Amino acid sequence: MGVISRKLFPACVNMCVCCPALRSRSRQPVKRYKKLLAEIFPKSPDGSPNERKIAKLCEYAAKNPFRIPKIAKYLEERCYKELRLDHVHLVNVITEVYSKLICMCKEQMAYFAVNLLNVSIELLDDSKRDSVQITGCQTLTRFIYSQVDGTYTYNLEHLVQKVCMLAHKPEEEDDKKGLRAASLQCLSAMIWFMTEFSHIFGDFDEIVHAALGNYEPNTNNEQDDDGEEAHHNWVNEVVRCEGRGIPIDTDSSYTSLKPRPEKKDPSLLTREEAETPKVWAQICIQRMVELAKESTTMRRILDPMFVYFDTNRHWVHPRGLGLIVLSDMAYFVESPENKQLILASIVHHLDHKNISHDPELKSYVIQTASALARQVRSEVALKDIGYVTDLCRHLRKSLQATVESVGEHEFNLNVLLQSSIEDCLFEIGKGIPDARQLFDVMSTTLEKLAPSSIVARATTGSMIILAHMIVVASVSSNSQQVFPEDLLLQLLKLMLHQDVEIRLSGHQIFSVLLIPNSNHLRRDTDASSTSNQTRRWSSDTASVFASVTSLLDKLRGEKNGKEIVCIQDGDNNNTEAERKHPGWAHKKSPNFQKLSSITAGEITLSDAESSVMKFSEDQITQLLSAFWIQANLPDNTLQNIEALAYSFCLTLISLRLKNPNDNLVVRIFQLPLSLWKISFDHGNGMLCPAHQRSLFTLSTAMLMFAAKMYQIPDVTDVLKPMLKSDVDNFLGISDDFQVFIKPQADIKSYSSDHDNQLAAALLADLQIKMFKSSDMIIDILVHKLSTITEMEAEEVRIQLLETFIPDDAIFGQESMLHLSHSHRVAHSKESLSFDTDFPTNSLVEDVQAANHLFQISLASYPNLLHQAPCLMSLASDSFLNQH
């Protein structure tokens, strides 16, 4: 009747109010949900659910939203009942209905969401049956993916721990594999939810740990044993060769580039993959990377990862996953900034309380950073290098700890840490496009040099490594630079430091930076010469520096593609003196070999120009002034003299690559001539005879090298007899005019009473022999330099005969270097002739000035009385007797 009234008599709706068929309620569908709910369940225990009835029920619910709460409530109560009766197949029917409701009633989600969540919780809490818990995870996963806003964020957040507990890996590998896969699938859905609605759950750390607990490497990417042997770590080889104790066990996975993993798409997984926990663990990591759109979010993800690696010692290969997970993350990340942020975060983690006092674990963390740096720089340029400062700080602390270490085990652990940091710095250096940032790091660090001798030496040791890193960065970027002004100022301070070891470090850094591409300019060299590169400069007081430089040479050898043969302590070619005091510029040094190649004409200056850093004329003047002041310091060691001569040669090479002014060219020769005169000055109250003898050898070598560079062979011919004579028992001059410590020299006897007596007699004899030679040299230089420059011959002669005066702007009373008074050696501007004819200045004033300088020196160098027996009283008497 209702149909007839609506179609034939529509007016009846408004007119007849008593007829039941005309009421508005009769227009709604018949109340059928209870009948449909009863029909969806199978009639027999083994029967299948009625799919058609389930679809009808969901259609009914979509058309009658106000019925949904009653339907959902019924399903929830029925689920509890069937769980108590162990009717698992009926529980699956209920979850299937909920899944259909999610698909068909998205807009009415609020009517049944709470009931669905309650059912999911009940299923997850059923610890007796894995299948029920799997069903609970799958139901919750479908619910999460159906969300269109963050309404149920709070509800989901309270389920994180329940799902994570199910994802934890049991002791039995294959046990509960399906449950772990389902729970990880649910966790991946939660990470998707956090990404979509920009909210990170409070228990996010638990999600990270659950994913990492099931993460496994791709077995298809594992390398065979032969590959592992071919890629062995160079650090381990050098430590073994030096006999430094424990070998450094570094797996090939740290030295070889990890292949890019295949990205998994959850919608395209096979059935086998969908039931594999490690696949879903990788998907979790992929989605964490997608979640990390900002740097703060990336750190929020990495922090719990690092803690997990620390706690389970997963930085150590092959037990750990640190390198595997972080490498995959770096591949998954698309932003270059976030790729570098992962690397920076690893370095920053070295200060975490979990590992800050464990040098071995820190070593493994840094090895991971090295491998990651190698991977990242293969894809993007490393522009943000703030972590380099942190690495240098840790290297400095390790060097300091090595010097202060008491046990062999502690010493070996620190050597392992230093080796790892050096390797990491070199890998980072290869990816830096602009080395100027590294110059700023070095300049800032040296500017804040600690007053403590041990700390300062450790700092300069770390800067030596950083200098080699700058070389690698310069080679990688193929950039030609002018020497930074601020850094040069700090290096000048090091060269004039009161600590003799720090002076050596200053020259070491200077020489490394000045000719960065020296190894790459070398012509073909036989294997025997290459095998001699495993040792360089070392320090007596801090033997760790010998290890540092040996490691550097090992790396340089591998960069050149040459096999390095380790020099054992029992090598017949090395005497005890060579092992204790290897020469600064000895022919084992690659820079020395390059220097020899340039001076010998094997490599032209035009070829060398691209590899040598440039100086301005003001910088050259500052360097010459620093060399002059250091040469006159009374506590110079043989190594200081050796390093000074080498730095002078490098500076001269750089000067020859440009066209300096005439005055600067003359000052190049004025410097060694002035040092030569001081070596024969018997009235010098600052230097004892042994030091004056070393000064004579130094000035002779400098003069011959300068003559060689400016093609004045006549000077070399005059001085060549010096090379064949045994003038100095401790220092020699090579065929390339380099100063080196003689292997047979007894270093301990240097500057002893007996040595000073021999030196005084030798200098007196030399002064007579060199009288005519000195005049001849001056005439040759005047003739040649007046031709090379545009200066008049007389003007050149006057300047050569004058004593070298340091630059007042840098080394004067208002010096920016803030040197002590003992470093500002005052010398008369008048000429000192080689036959000891002193100028006609007041004798009393000279004696007073000499006494004053000596007293200042004693104040700055309290050990001077023990190092040099030439007391001021004796010097004054000798000075007066000469006149």
Side-chain angles (χ1 to χ4, degrees):
M1 183 175 178
V3 174
I4 296 175
S5 66
R6 286 195 297 273
K7 292 186 177 181
L8 300 180
F9 307 102
C12 294
V13 177
N14 299 323
M15 295 172 60
C16 302
V17 294
C18 298
C19 180
L22 299 180
R23 294 177 186 173
S24 59
R25 182 179 178 87
S26 67
R27 298 183 183 184
Q28 302 296 336
V30 179
K31 184 178 178 182
R32 298 182 297 138
Y33 74 91
K34 288 186 178 181
K35 182 182 178 181
L36 291 173
L37 284 172
E39 292 176 348
I40 62 175
F41 294 98
K43 299 188 181 300
S44 62
D46 299 332
S48 59
N50 193 328
E51 297 289 345
R52 189 174 63 85
K53 295 296 182 180
I54 292 176
K56 280 191 174 185
L57 175 64
C58 293
E59 290 176 2
Y60 174 86
K63 293 178 181 179
N64 300 270
F66 61 92
R67 299 290 188 190
I68 294 178
K70 292 186 177 181
I71 296 174
K73 184 65 177 177
Y74 173 82
L75 291 173
E76 180 184 352
E77 292 176 352
R78 182 71 183 266
C79 179
Y80 296 157
K81 176 183 175 181
E82 301 301 340
L83 281 174
R84 287 193 300 269
L85 297 175
D86 291 337
H87 295 162
V88 178
H89 64 288
L90 297 181
V91 174
N92 292 335
V93 174
I94 296 172
T95 57
E96 187 175 345
V97 173
Y98 273 119
S99 299
K100 291 283 187 179
L101 288 174
I102 290 174
C103 295
M104 301 181 67
C105 304
K106 285 186 178 181
E107 295 181 358
Q108 294 83 26
M109 180 75 68
Y111 292 131
F112 64 90
V114 175
N115 304 97
L116 188 151
L117 289 171
N118 291 336
V119 169
S120 299
I121 294 173
E122 192 69 20
L123 297 178
L124 293 175
D125 290 339
D126 192 338
S127 58
K128 296 180 181 179
R129 290 161 292 206
D130 291 347
S131 60
V132 174
Q133 291 179 317
I134 291 173
T135 303
C137 290
Q138 293 172 345
T139 303
L140 184 58
T141 300
R142 287 191 286 267
F143 173 77
I144 294 173
Y145 282 128
S146 68
Q147 299 305 299
V148 293
D149 55 32
T151 303
Y152 300 99
T153 301
Y154 181 80
N155 304 78
L156 294 176
E157 196 164 356
H158 280 72
L159 295 175
V160 170
Q161 288 196 3
K162 289 182 180 292
V163 179
C164 288
M165 288 178 63
L166 301 179
H168 285 317
K169 193 180 227 181
E171 294 183 2
E172 298 293 335
E173 277 295 318
D174 296 329
D175 192 22
K176 299 186 177 182
K177 186 177 178 181
L179 178 58
R180 288 190 290 118
S183 57
L184 287 168
Q185 181 182 5
C186 185
L187 291 178
S188 69
M190 290 182 176
I191 300 173
W192 171 88
F193 180 88
M194 289 185 281
T195 304
E196 285 293 316
F197 304 110
S198 302
H199 176 80
I200 297 181
F201 295 161
D203 293 326
F204 181 73
D205 292 7
E206 296 293 331
I207 299 178
V208 174
H209 294 169
L212 294 177
N214 290 274
Y215 205 90
E216 297 177 10
N218 188 352
T219 54
N220 295 331
N221 294 332
E222 291 182 356
Q223 300 178 350
D224 55 22
D225 295 339
D226 296 336
E228 291 184 3
E229 259 187 65
H231 295 286
H232 70 277
N233 191 295
W234 59 271
V235 174
N236 185 30
E237 181 68 14
V238 173
V239 173
R240 182 189 66 77
C241 294
E242 292 193 337
R244 301 298 298 245
I246 60 173
I248 301 173
D249 186 13
T250 305
D251 192 84
S252 62
S253 58
Y254 286 107
T255 58
S256 58
L257 200 61
K258 187 178 181 295
R260 180 183 291 273
E262 180 185 357
K263 212 168 184 179
K264 301 294 184 181
D265 186 348
S267 62
L268 301 178
L269 296 179
T270 63
R271 182 174 181 178
E272 181 182 359
E273 289 177 331
E275 296 176 353
T276 305
K278 70 176 184 179
V279 173
W280 288 108
Q282 178 180 329
I283 294 174
C284 287
I285 298 298
Q286 290 176 193
R287 290 187 167 171
M288 288 179 192
V289 170
E290 296 171 0
L291 173 63
K293 297 177 182 178
E294 299 178 355
S295 59
T296 52
T297 313
M298 176 62 79
R299 285 192 288 268
R300 179 68 180 85
I301 295 172
L302 292 174
D303 286 346
M305 282 188 175
F306 294 159
V307 173
Y308 180 84
F309 297 150
D310 296 341
T311 305
N312 300 279
R313 297 190 71 84
H314 280 318
W315 297 106
V316 184
H317 195 82
R319 292 179 295 162
L321 294 172
L323 175 60
I324 298 171
V325 173
L326 294 173
S327 176
D328 289 349
M329 284 187 67
Y331 277 126
F332 295 147
V333 170
E334 296 179 359
S335 168
E337 291 76 15
N338 278 348
K339 287 180 183 289
Q340 297 181 64
L341 180 59
I342 296 175
L343 177 59
S345 299
I346 297 175
V347 176
H348 294 330
H349 185 65
L350 295 173
D351 293 317
H352 194 277
K353 61 181 180 179
N354 289 351
I355 64 172
S356 60
H357 301 294
D358 188 344
E360 184 178 16
L361 189 56
K362 288 172 73 174
S363 301
Y364 294 126
V365 173
I366 295 172
Q367 288 176 17
T368 302
S370 301
L372 198 62
R374 187 182 302 109
Q375 173 183 319
V376 172
R377 68 175 170 78
S378 67
E379 299 179 307
V380 298
L382 303 179
K383 296 181 180 179
D384 182 14
I385 58 169
Y387 44 85
V388 172
T389 304
D390 293 331
L391 284 173
C392 291
R393 174 169 52 84
H394 287 288
L395 180 58
R396 187 261 301 167
K397 288 183 178 180
S398 179
L399 291 171
Q400 182 180 345
T402 305
V403 176
E404 298 172 345
S405 61
V406 291
E408 181 180 357
H409 181 69
E410 180 184 358
F411 176 85
N412 291 330
L413 288 179
N414 277 290
V415 171
L416 169 63
L417 177 57
Q418 293 154 27
S419 304
S420 302
I421 295 176
E422 292 155 19
D423 191 17
C424 186
L425 285 172
F426 281 109
E427 290 298 338
I428 294 172
K430 294 175 185 177
I432 295 177
D434 188 357
R436 286 177 294 184
Q437 302 176 73
L438 299 176
F439 285 121
D440 295 337
V441 171
M442 178 178 290
S443 178
T444 303
T445 304
L446 293 177
E447 187 178 3
K448 301 175 182 178
L449 200 63
S452 171
S453 177
I454 294 179
V455 177
R457 291 182 184 183
T459 302
T460 54
S462 66
M463 291 299 100
I464 293 174
I465 304 300
L466 180 59
H468 285 274
M469 178 188 177
I470 293 175
V471 169
V472 174
S474 301
V475 171
S476 302
S477 60
N478 196 24
S479 60
Q480 183 178 349
Q481 301 188 34
V482 177
F483 208 96
E485 190 71 35
D486 293 340
L487 179 57
L488 179 62
L489 184 64
Q490 301 307 321
L491 291 181
L492 294 180
K493 287 184 180 181
L494 292 188
M495 293 179 184
L496 302 176
H497 200 277
Q498 293 187 6
D499 191 312
V500 294
E501 298 294 339
I502 294 178
R503 291 180 209 164
L504 285 175
S505 299
H507 287 284
Q508 174 80 345
I509 297 171
F510 177 79
S511 64
V512 170
L513 295 178
L514 191 55
I515 308 185
N517 294 358
S518 60
N519 293 330
H520 299 267
L521 283 177
R522 288 170 52 189
R523 302 305 182 193
D524 294 335
T525 310
D526 56 39
S528 61
S529 63
T530 307
S531 66
N532 290 328
Q533 296 179 21
T534 55
R535 287 187 178 268
R536 276 177 65 93
W537 163 86
S538 68
S539 166
D540 293 342
T541 56
S543 60
V544 64
F545 293 149
S547 174
V548 169
T549 50
S550 296
L551 291 169
L552 294 175
D553 288 323
K554 173 68 178 179
L555 178 63
R556 279 194 296 272
E558 290 191 356
K559 280 173 56 184
N560 290 332
K562 306 285 182 121
E563 180 182 359
I564 300 299
V565 180
C566 296
I567 300 177
Q568 302 290 348
D569 288 341
D571 198 332
N572 295 330
N573 296 328
N574 293 306
T575 64
E576 186 68 22
E578 281 182 299
R579 289 195 298 272
K580 290 184 178 179
H581 302 279
W584 173 274
H586 203 263
K587 291 187 178 181
K588 297 176 183 179
S589 166
N591 272 12
F592 177 84
Q593 293 179 1
K594 184 46 47 203
L595 198 63
S596 302
S597 299
I598 295 174
T599 57
E602 298 174 9
I603 297 178
T604 63
L605 289 177
S606 59
D607 294 333
E609 184 174 2
S610 60
S611 66
V612 180
M613 294 190 72
K614 307 301 183 293
F615 289 112
S616 65
E617 292 184 357
D618 290 340
Q619 289 177 326
I620 294 289
T621 302
Q622 295 168 14
L623 282 167
L624 295 180
S625 300
F627 297 157
W628 165 261
I629 293 176
Q630 184 184 345
N632 284 279
L633 294 180
D635 60 344
N636 279 330
T637 63
L638 294 173
Q639 289 83 0
N640 290 140
I641 298 296
E642 195 179 29
L644 176 58
Y646 189 53
S647 295
F648 174 82
C649 295
L650 293 176
T651 304
L652 196 53
I653 290 176
S654 178
L655 179 65
R656 287 287 287 136
L657 298 179
K658 58 184 298 182
N659 296 320
N661 62 50
D662 297 340
N663 182 64
L664 191 55
V665 174
V666 177
R667 282 176 67 85
I668 287 289
F669 291 89
Q670 184 190 31
L671 174 60
L673 289 174
S674 298
L675 293 177
W676 207 3
K677 289 182 281 188
I678 291 178
S679 66
F680 291 119
D681 182 7
H682 302 297
N684 191 304
M686 294 288 293
L687 304 176
C688 62
H691 289 144
Q692 287 181 290
R693 178 188 57 200
S694 300
L695 206 58
F696 173 76
T697 304
L698 170 66
S699 58
T700 302
M702 292 168 68
L703 188 59
M704 287 193 291
F705 187 85
K708 173 71 174 180
M709 293 300 295
Y710 282 91
Q711 299 178 356
I712 311 177
D714 296 340
V715 173
T716 305
D717 294 339
V718 174
L719 296 174
K720 216 160 192 180
M722 289 291 304
L723 301 177
K724 300 178 180 179
S725 61
D726 220 4
V727 175
D728 195 328
N729 296 330
F730 298 92
L731 295 176
I733 302 176
S734 68
D735 295 338
D736 299 303
F737 313 126
Q738 301 298 305
V739 176
F740 66 93
I741 300 176
K742 294 183 176 180
Q744 71 277 9
D746 184 8
I747 306 297
K748 295 181 179 179
S749 64
Y750 179 70
S751 192
S752 63
D753 292 343
H754 179 66
D755 186 38
N756 278 298
Q757 292 175 4
L758 294 178
L762 175 66
L763 290 173
D765 185 48
L766 277 175
Q767 185 174 349
I768 299 174
K769 293 180 180 179
M770 298 300 297
F771 175 67
K772 292 183 179 179
S773 300
S774 61
D775 293 338
M776 190 181 304
I777 291 173
I778 294 293
D779 292 339
I780 295 172
L781 290 177
V782 168
H783 174 70
K784 293 293 185 179
L785 292 179
S786 60
T787 304
I788 296 173
T789 66
E790 297 180 359
M791 299 174 62
E792 297 294 334
E794 189 60 30
E795 185 180 357
V796 173
R797 181 182 297 276
I798 293 174
Q799 188 169 344
L800 289 176
L801 292 176
E802 288 180 348
T803 302
F804 187 91
I805 302 298
D807 183 20
D808 290 337
I810 301 295
F811 302 93
Q813 294 296 325
E814 302 297 330
S815 170
M816 292 189 296
L817 297 180
H818 306 293
L819 302 175
S820 62
H821 289 289
S822 61
H823 288 177
R824 302 190 185 104
V825 182
H827 293 277
S828 172
K829 292 186 178 182
E830 299 199 27
S831 171
L832 293 175
S833 65
F834 293 100
D835 56 353
T836 67
D837 287 339
F838 288 89
T840 57
N841 291 353
S842 171
L843 187 61
V844 177
E845 292 179 358
D846 285 346
V847 175
Q848 290 176 348
N851 274 285
H852 176 66
L853 285 174
F854 187 76
Q855 294 300 328
I856 292 175
S857 298
L858 289 181
S860 298
Y861 298 94
N863 295 328
L864 183 60
L865 289 173
H866 304 286
Q867 296 176 359
C870 46
L871 302 179
M872 190 59 215
S873 58
L874 296 177
S876 300
D877 294 341
S878 175
F879 187 82
L880 293 172
N881 292 334
Q882 291 290 333
H883 297 274

